[in-house]
Amino acid sequence: MEKTTTREILITKDILSALFGTYDENIRVIEDTLKVKVSVSASGVSVRGENTSVLKCCELLEKLITIAENKTLIDKATVKCALDMTSAGKTDEIVKLNLEAVAVTARGRPIRCKTLGQKAYADAIKANPLVFGVGPAGTGKTYLAVALATAAFKKKEIERIILTRPALEAGEQLGFLPGDLQQKVDPYLRPLYDALEEMFGVDSYLKLIENGIVEIAPLAYMRGRTLSKAFIILDEAQNTTEEQMKMFLTRMGKGSKMIVNGDVTQVDLPHGKNSGLKSAIGILKNVEGIAICKLTNKDIVRNELVQRIVEAYERKMTTERKPPVKVVKKVLD
């Protein structure tokens, strides 16, 4: 059994409060994961446990202290991500992940990646003209893509932002919804409107829409067009057919960047129709200039409960996929 040891870390009172979190929830997560005891001491905090665990904990706490000193919020999700990075031997990247902003909202709030998966996704978008972001709800696929599109526009790397998605939802047909076409598709595009308004501010966003610099439209509007010097985001791509996906991907013009996002576990297409997202991932996985980023339950940042819901559904699907056990009766002579 490893030797038990105690180490002290110097922390000021204001940093101590930020580090421990609401009702000490941050420290409880660290204690439960690393099997250590963290308590307040006269000079800061005291960490007690097996030597290896104490060393890991102290290294982690020092990184979190640096984040807190830069006035960045440390919440439970931040701590869990930092623990995952520590387990993966990437402790040195914790500070960079939490302090490096990919974009800034109209109100000056920095947008940062919150998980390693999100960081890999954002890096892929910066490095490749075509990126597929595949993962469950709440992993920030759409929000991060819009944030990066906004940053690219402000740097004058592109001239237009185009956001689109198939107007399809389980159990509903557009023809039965009230209003003209724009009114019918607006509910499907609402998440895109919200993200853009936050990035540009309402007044600037409306002017960009009016001038055609920002365009939000259903996927059907993309047919027959060549989209140059644009940042194009296709959301809910799991609900495209194979034909629609090919049509969309071949719209890319010079100087453009395309992001295709979706969740292959939530396909709402009619029975017998193959998902364009699923087939595209298989067809294009080895094509140069195309990145396929797969986000997982660990990348869910929307709400901790969402992560547990997704995991519960995945367990059910795994159970249903298991082949039935064949019972072989032994015949005795």
Side-chain angles (χ1 to χ4, degrees), residues 204-243:
S204 297
Y205 159 72
L206 290 174
K207 285 179 184 176
L208 292 170
I209 288 278
E210 188 179 338
N211 294 330
I213 294 170
V214 171
E215 180 181 349
I216 305 177
L219 182 59
Y221 280 31
M222 299 298 111
R223 189 174 297 278
R225 300 174 63 184
T226 300
L227 307 171
S228 301
K229 292 288 287 180
F231 199 116
I232 311 139
I233 301 170
L234 171 58
D235 202 28
E236 300 292 342
Q238 75 274 4
N239 289 329
T240 61
T241 63
E242 291 176 301
E243 296 80 10

Side-chain angles (χ1 to χ4, degrees), residues 66-327:
T66 301
I67 294 167
E69 286 173 342
N70 281 272
K71 310 298 181 185
T72 300
L73 174 68
I74 298 176
D75 56 14
K76 203 171 174 182
T78 304
V79 172
K80 283 187 174 182
C81 178
L83 283 164
D84 288 340
M85 293 175 78
T86 301
S87 299
K90 296 183 178 181
T91 311
D92 291 340
E93 296 179 33
I94 293 172
V95 174
K96 185 179 178 183
L97 178 70
N98 284 277
L99 297 184
E100 189 179 89
V102 298
V104 178
T105 68
R107 295 186 176 183
R109 182 173 69 87
I111 305 299
R112 299 183 176 96
C113 297
K114 293 182 178 290
T115 69
L116 279 174
Q118 286 190 347
K119 180 70 164 60
Y121 172 63
D123 289 345
I125 291 174
K126 293 173 185 176
N128 297 276
L130 175 57
V131 175
F132 288 87
V134 184
T139 50
K141 301 183 298 294
T142 301
Y143 190 78
L144 273 176
V146 172
L148 286 160
T150 306
F153 178 77
K154 289 178 179 178
K155 292 176 186 174
K156 302 188 185 302
E157 294 172 356
I158 46 101
E159 295 174 356
R160 287 187 298 162
I161 297 174
I162 299 170
L163 301 99
T164 184
R165 64 188 292 185
L168 174 69
E169 188 171 313
E172 288 191 3
Q173 298 293 328
L174 287 178
F176 293 101
L177 297 175
D180 59 21
L181 181 60
Q182 190 62 44
Q183 289 172 319
K184 288 178 180 181
V185 300
D186 270 359
Y188 298 93
L189 303 172
R190 190 70 252 173
L192 304 177
Y193 290 130
D194 293 342
L196 277 170
E197 284 178 8
E198 184 175 357
M199 295 301 159
F200 284 112
V202 176
D203 292 340
S204 297
Y205 159 72
L206 290 174
K207 285 179 184 176
L208 292 170
I209 288 278
E210 188 179 338
N211 294 330
I213 294 170
V214 171
E215 180 181 349
I216 305 177
L219 182 59
Y221 280 31
M222 299 298 111
R223 189 174 297 278
R225 300 174 63 184
T226 300
L227 307 171
S228 301
K229 292 288 287 180
F231 199 116
I232 311 139
I233 301 170
L234 171 58
D235 202 28
E236 300 292 342
Q238 75 274 4
N239 289 329
T240 61
T241 63
E242 291 176 301
E243 296 80 10
Q244 286 175 326
M245 179 61 76
K246 182 181 177 183
M247 177 275 291
F248 173 75
L249 295 176
T250 53
R251 299 307 94 200
M252 182 186 281
K254 290 183 180 180
S256 285
K257 192 179 285 286
M258 275 188 169
I259 314 301
V260 179
N261 290 329
D263 179 0
V264 292
T265 68
Q266 294 192 23
V267 178
D268 296 326
L269 290 167
H271 181 70
K273 284 281 187 183
N274 294 326
S275 168
L277 178 60
K278 284 184 179 180
S279 63
I281 291 169
I283 294 167
L284 304 174
K285 62 183 177 182
N286 295 318
V287 176
E288 186 180 350
I290 298 176
I292 298 171
C293 295
K294 294 186 178 179
L295 295 125
T296 68
N297 301 342
K298 287 187 176 182
D299 299 305
I300 294 174
V301 294
R302 184 176 292 169
N303 186 303
E304 195 174 337
L305 182 58
V306 174
Q307 184 173 347
R308 295 200 292 269
I309 290 169
V310 171
E311 287 171 351
Y313 271 94
E314 282 192 352
R315 286 194 296 270
K316 180 177 184 295
M317 290 172 68
T318 302
T319 304
E320 289 175 347
R321 282 196 295 264
K322 286 183 180 178
V325 178
K326 291 183 179 180
V327 178

